[in-house]
Amino acid sequence: MLEVGGVRPGEGEANLPVAAWKKNEPPPYYTIDVYTLPPLKSYDEVVYGVGPGLTPPSYPHYVPQMSPTVAVPQVTKSSKPPSRKRRRCWESNAQCYGGSGGILLVFGLLALGIWLGIRYGTQLATAAILFSDHNNGNKDNNGNVASQSRDICPNNTVQCDAIMDCEMGTDETNCVRFGVDGSLQVKTSQDGRFLPVCNSNWNPSFADKTCAQLGFRRSHNTRAIRSQSIGLQMTSSSSSFIQGQVNVSSSCPDQEVVALQCVDCGRQQSTSRIIGGSVAKEGQFPWQLSLHFRGSHVCGGVLISPDFVLTAAHCFPRSNPSALLAENWKVYGGVVSLDRLNEPNLVKRILLSEIYNNKTNDHDVALLKLASPVSFNAQIQPACLPAFDQQFRDGTRCWTSGFGTTEAGSAKISKDLMEVSVDLIGRTECNRLYGGSVTKNMLCAGHLNGGKDSCQGDSGGPLVCEKDKRWYLAGITSWGEGCGERNRPGVYTDVKSVLPWIYSSMQQKRP
């Protein structure tokens, strides 16, 4: 977390020792190096998931990665990116492909892929891939080694009909969302639109079941709000999905619909602060987490429920197999000093966005499922996820926090949790500064004059904005150029944009 100063391209993280990651130093938050990554192997407890309707763009930007094991040439921000090279084998071609027999096998697999594509068309969906242990195999839910599993959907799949057609049930995810007023909205196969749920016949049992469907353990609060739109009436159906328990109605009785809150969130115990670059107090950012790899802080994280943590995908580089092992990570909450750690929470699964692009840093989001639920207290509270239609206007003053370095060009993280205020910057303006590298899944925040910014070690941490005395997670610390540089604001994963992936992943791995 940087208060003043900064680094120019080519300084700071770009010049860290090549073995920095192995020494448990924090991963680069900003860098302009281009690294060639080896192919991802099968490792324990890593899940790659993909949200519907999302495709990776091809912006020419170079993203943060852990320090490589070999020296690579510097590439300036203004340079054109090199064309992607063919993936090289670690051994000889014969060992990699098994000689000519291997080549025949490759052609055979290609033919099979083409046949499957013709047979199932676009309905053959890969929604998630489970990578398990270091024996190059995968573990199923019982811990047995099995082959890689993909969610496969038949060609007659119907979305949101309360029937799990896909093997992993991804056709029944992203059928529920929340409006900015807390309104519960459900999409059904009857109508295909997200519609509010009528408050008549609604009860706390429905509230708990709906929140449990989304990956929360229970509901926190439900109430009635006014609405004059078409709605969904609750039925007597015993379906386990809310989308199977409703029917479309021309209007709701008394013109009331359901507002639902699954977790009490965004509450601060301490609100006094000094604007910019100050040490945070206990309870001031209770959703802030410290992610430790083999005993050392390397990234931040954000608590969003008792069981799930949001962070950045680039904190888990494919170039370092050990970083993909859940057993190597611990999560610390309620911490304002790394010298005074609480009991850690263990990680059960690491879920990475399948469309995370390590060249553009698009869709830089990851979700950690904890081995046991977190107990909330004055120092440990979740941040609120934004509503699908929530607006964070340009110029809004928000806050980011973390244990990142406070000295430009330094690889030494802060022992104290630091906070800094930053202003939201419009995507058009930010793209002008970054040459078009800011995608629809990103947002910018900072000060164009420089001096206040996130930095190395803050990756994966929160950018929160306040509304009605609650704090909403607007962004996840992702990338930028330099720390605190003039006209180089921080770039964050836009949480509102990746909400479908978040909720889908939570639902698939719900407790």
Side-chain angles (χ1 to χ4, degrees):
M1 191 64 54
L2 197 68
E3 179 179 5
V4 294
V7 293
R8 293 185 298 275
E11 296 179 349
E13 290 78 16
N15 289 335
L16 289 176
V18 294
W21 177 236
K22 293 184 178 180
K23 295 179 181 178
N24 294 332
E25 293 181 2
Y29 161 63
Y30 295 99
T31 182
I32 54 171
D33 287 343
V34 179
Y35 302 142
T36 300
L37 302 179
L40 178 63
K41 299 179 182 179
S42 299
Y43 296 104
D44 192 19
E45 304 294 1
V46 180
V47 178
Y48 285 76
V50 58
L54 300 174
T55 57
S58 56
Y59 292 94
H61 183 70
Y62 312 121
V63 304
Q65 296 291 342
M66 308 306 178
S67 296
T69 56
V70 294
V72 294
Q74 296 285 316
V75 180
T76 62
K77 176 71 179 183
S78 59
S79 299
K80 292 182 180 180
S83 59
R84 182 170 296 180
K85 296 181 179 179
R86 294 180 184 272
R87 189 166 60 187
R88 294 176 296 177
C89 301
W90 291 107
E91 307 295 340
S92 68
N93 288 338
Q95 289 174 311
C96 181
Y97 295 108
S100 60
I103 295 175
L104 293 175
L105 176 61
V106 170
F107 279 112
L109 290 174
L110 286 174
L112 177 60
I114 293 172
W115 180 85
L116 288 172
I118 295 173
R119 173 64 178 83
Y120 293 103
T122 58
Q123 298 297 334
L124 185 60
T126 301
I129 304 173
L130 174 64
F131 295 89
S132 74
D133 69 4
H134 38 272
N135 293 323
N136 292 331
N138 292 327
K139 291 182 178 180
D140 58 22
N141 292 331
N142 297 320
N144 301 316
V145 176
S147 60
Q148 292 182 358
S149 60
R150 298 171 180 260
D151 198 11
I152 298 178
C153 305
N155 57 2
N156 60 346
T157 297
V158 178
Q159 296 284 327
C160 300
D161 65 347
I163 301 173
M164 292 200 331
D165 299 310
C166 303
E167 291 182 1
M168 295 176 63
T170 54
D171 55 311
E172 297 307 313
T173 63
N174 288 314
C175 303
V176 179
R177 70 183 187 185
F178 298 97
V180 71
D181 55 357
S183 61
L184 171 65
Q185 300 182 16
V186 177
K187 181 168 68 173
T188 68
S189 59
Q190 293 178 327
D191 187 277
R193 295 178 294 172
F194 279 98
L195 298 174
V197 177
C198 299
N199 190 62
S200 60
N201 300 325
W202 182 260
N203 60 53
S205 175
F206 290 135
D208 286 341
K209 288 180 63 176
T210 302
C211 289
Q213 174 181 326
L214 296 177
F216 299 92
R217 290 182 173 263
R218 62 187 63 87
S219 65
H220 168 67
N221 182 48
T222 183
R223 58 189 175 87
I225 58 176
R226 300 287 295 176
S227 175
Q228 297 181 0
S229 64
I230 184 175
L232 298 170
Q233 284 271 28
M234 298 299 301
T235 69
S236 59
S237 170
S238 59
S239 171
S240 57
F241 297 102
I242 181 67
Q243 58 265 30
Q245 296 178 292
V246 292
N247 283 325
V248 178
S249 175
S250 58
S251 63
C252 292
D254 302 322
Q255 296 183 338
E256 290 184 337
V257 298
V258 173
L260 177 62
Q261 187 179 5
C262 290
V263 62
D264 192 16
C265 59
R267 299 293 194 184
Q268 284 182 321
Q269 299 299 316
S270 173
T271 57
S272 60
R273 59 167 50 89
I274 301 173
I275 296 178
S278 62
V279 176
K281 301 175 178 63
E282 285 191 359
Q284 193 170 346
F285 295 93
W287 41 81
Q288 172 77 52
L289 302 172
S290 174
L291 307 187
H292 285 225
F293 174 79
R294 292 180 173 174
S296 296
H297 169 91
V298 294
C299 272
V302 191
L303 189 67
I304 58 171
S305 82
D307 299 278
F308 291 102
V309 173
L310 272 179
T311 187
H314 79 255
C315 292
F316 308 90
R318 293 180 292 178
S319 56
N320 186 358
S322 60
L324 304 178
L325 295 173
E327 63 197 48
N328 287 334
W329 292 87
K330 292 182 179 179
V331 176
Y332 291 87
V335 175
V336 294
S337 172
L338 295 180
D339 291 330
R340 300 190 305 274
L341 295 176
N342 302 321
E343 286 295 316
N345 290 89
L346 304 181
V347 177
K348 184 176 182 180
R349 281 188 173 87
I350 302 171
L351 298 99
L352 307 178
S353 170
E354 189 179 56
I355 60 173
Y356 164 59
N357 189 317
N358 63 9
K359 292 295 188 293
T360 67
N361 224 21
D362 191 49
H363 227 259
D364 187 12
V365 58
L367 193 67
L368 306 184
K369 183 181 181 182
L370 301 176
S372 58
V374 172
S375 297
F376 298 157
N377 55 43
Q379 287 75 43
I380 303 176
Q381 293 284 325
C384 296
L385 289 173
F388 81 93
D389 55 349
Q390 191 160 351
Q391 298 296 320
F392 298 105
R393 299 187 182 281
D394 299 349
T396 300
R397 173 158 291 179
C398 300
W399 297 82
T400 185
S401 55
F403 293 95
T405 181
T406 58
E407 299 177 10
S410 173
K412 184 179 180 181
I413 62 174
S414 171
K415 292 293 184 181
D416 298 314
L417 178 63
M418 305 295 291
E419 55 150 351
V420 67
S421 65
V422 289
D423 297 335
L424 298 185
I425 300 171
R427 186 176 292 116
T428 300
E429 171 69 6
C430 199
N431 258 324
R432 183 183 66 82
L433 301 173
Y434 277 120
S437 297
V438 180
T439 75
K440 65 178 182 179
N441 296 314
M442 303 173 186
L443 59 82
C444 298
H447 300 271
L448 297 185
N449 290 329
K452 296 179 181 180
D453 203 356
S454 304
C455 203
Q456 179 190 352
D458 292 324
S459 290
L463 173 70
V464 292
C465 307
E466 185 181 21
K467 180 183 180 182
D468 299 330
K469 297 182 179 181
R470 288 187 186 271
W471 290 86
Y472 292 86
L473 184 63
I476 301 169
T477 305
S478 182
W479 65 271
E481 188 177 290
C483 294
E485 282 281 303
R486 182 179 177 86
N487 291 328
R488 290 296 183 267
V491 186
Y492 301 78
T493 300
D494 187 343
V495 174
K496 189 175 69 172
S497 179
V498 299
L499 272 178
W501 182 87
I502 294 171
Y503 279 123
S504 177
S505 300
M506 288 177 62
Q507 182 171 333
Q508 290 181 69
K509 300 301 175 184
R510 60 185 179 271

